[in-house]
Amino acid sequence: MHPLPPPPRIRANELRPGRHWYVTAAVTALLLIVLGVVIAVQRLDSAIDAVDTDHPFSDGDTVTVQLEPGSEKAIWIKDRGPSSAQDCKITGPGDPALTGPGIDVFLTRDETWNPLRTIEVSRAGAYEITCSSQGPSRYAIGDPEGQVTFAGGVVLAVLLSILGIAIGTAIALVTAMRRHGHRKRLLAERDGSGDSEKCGKAVEPLAPRPQDPAATGGP
């Protein structure tokens, strides 16, 4: 018996889609994971120092803050939520305004701060803020985003990381399956062409056998 010929050799660079799709899958997953981490770090940095609790002020006090358009600052109140019992005023260049805050919270070891008013200004400069309420209250200036916003950022970061892993895995799996299918097709084509070549070879005719003179009646 003749040994079976080795199967046709398929080089990796012959298969489609190309292996660069594996790199694309890894880069896509990595970029989305890094983006999620960056968002989480930024939110954490904002949440840690969201409220300037080291410089609070009380009812009737006037504080001066330097603000610019788009600076996004807010007035926070300690240990109580915003209500009609509190009243704050702002004066300064242009037409500054105090608007309703979003839902958020800032927690320290023994204090709870809630956003009271969001500060909106149209010109850069010094602004004076005064607050009052029916009972004694403590106020502070800070960013409009607190720990609820930070939690939302963490959720977004986790979702981005999961999305990156899912997309990267999907690209890698589809690439692997299509390359495997392409390899099988190439093997089938080359096996078929090899069989055709074997069948196409001419068969050499056998040489005629010499005849016996006695059988042909010769001398």
Side-chain angles (χ1 to χ4, degrees):
M1 295 180 63
H2 296 287
L4 294 175
R9 182 179 178 183
I10 307 297
R11 295 191 299 271
N13 58 3
E14 295 182 69
L15 301 178
R16 295 293 180 270
R19 287 180 292 182
H20 67 274
W21 281 102
Y22 291 124
V23 178
T24 301
V27 171
T28 301
L30 181 62
L31 286 177
L32 288 175
I33 292 173
V34 170
L35 179 60
V37 172
V38 169
I39 291 175
V41 171
Q42 289 179 339
R43 296 294 187 183
L44 176 61
D45 184 62
S46 299
I48 290 175
D49 301 319
V51 181
D52 186 8
T53 57
D54 293 333
H55 300 89
F57 59 98
S58 303
D59 291 316
D61 293 344
T62 298
V63 295
T64 302
V65 293
Q66 292 287 335
L67 299 174
E68 296 182 358
S71 58
E72 295 187 349
K73 290 295 180 180
I75 304 171
W76 292 71
I77 187 170
K78 177 184 174 183
D79 293 337
R80 64 179 61 185
S83 70
S84 58
Q86 297 103 25
D87 180 45
C88 292
K89 300 183 184 302
I90 182 171
T91 59
D95 189 19
L98 299 176
T99 60
I103 299 175
D104 217 317
V105 67
F106 181 79
L107 303 174
T108 64
R109 180 174 300 177
D110 54 0
E111 297 175 342
T112 300
W113 293 81
N114 295 286
L116 180 62
R117 296 288 186 271
T118 300
I119 304 172
E120 295 182 356
V121 300
S122 58
R123 294 172 55 183
Y127 292 83
E128 292 185 345
I129 297 174
T130 304
C131 292
S132 62
S133 65
Q134 294 180 354
S137 299
R138 301 285 284 174
Y139 310 91
I141 304 298
D143 298 328
E145 299 176 349
Q147 292 164 348
V148 171
T149 305
F150 165 68
V154 171
V155 172
L156 177 60
V158 171
L159 291 177
L160 282 174
S161 299
I162 294 174
L163 179 63
I165 294 172
I167 292 177
T169 302
I171 293 175
L173 286 176
V174 170
T175 300
M177 292 174 63
R178 294 184 63 183
R179 285 173 64 87
H180 179 69
H182 190 207
R183 179 182 177 84
K184 292 175 65 176
R185 290 195 301 271
L186 289 178
L187 286 173
E189 291 172 1
R190 296 182 185 182
D191 283 343
S193 62
D195 293 341
S196 299
E197 290 178 2
K198 293 177 183 178
C199 294
K201 290 183 179 179
V203 179
E204 297 181 358
L206 296 176
R209 296 177 59 185
Q211 296 183 352
D212 187 357
T216 57

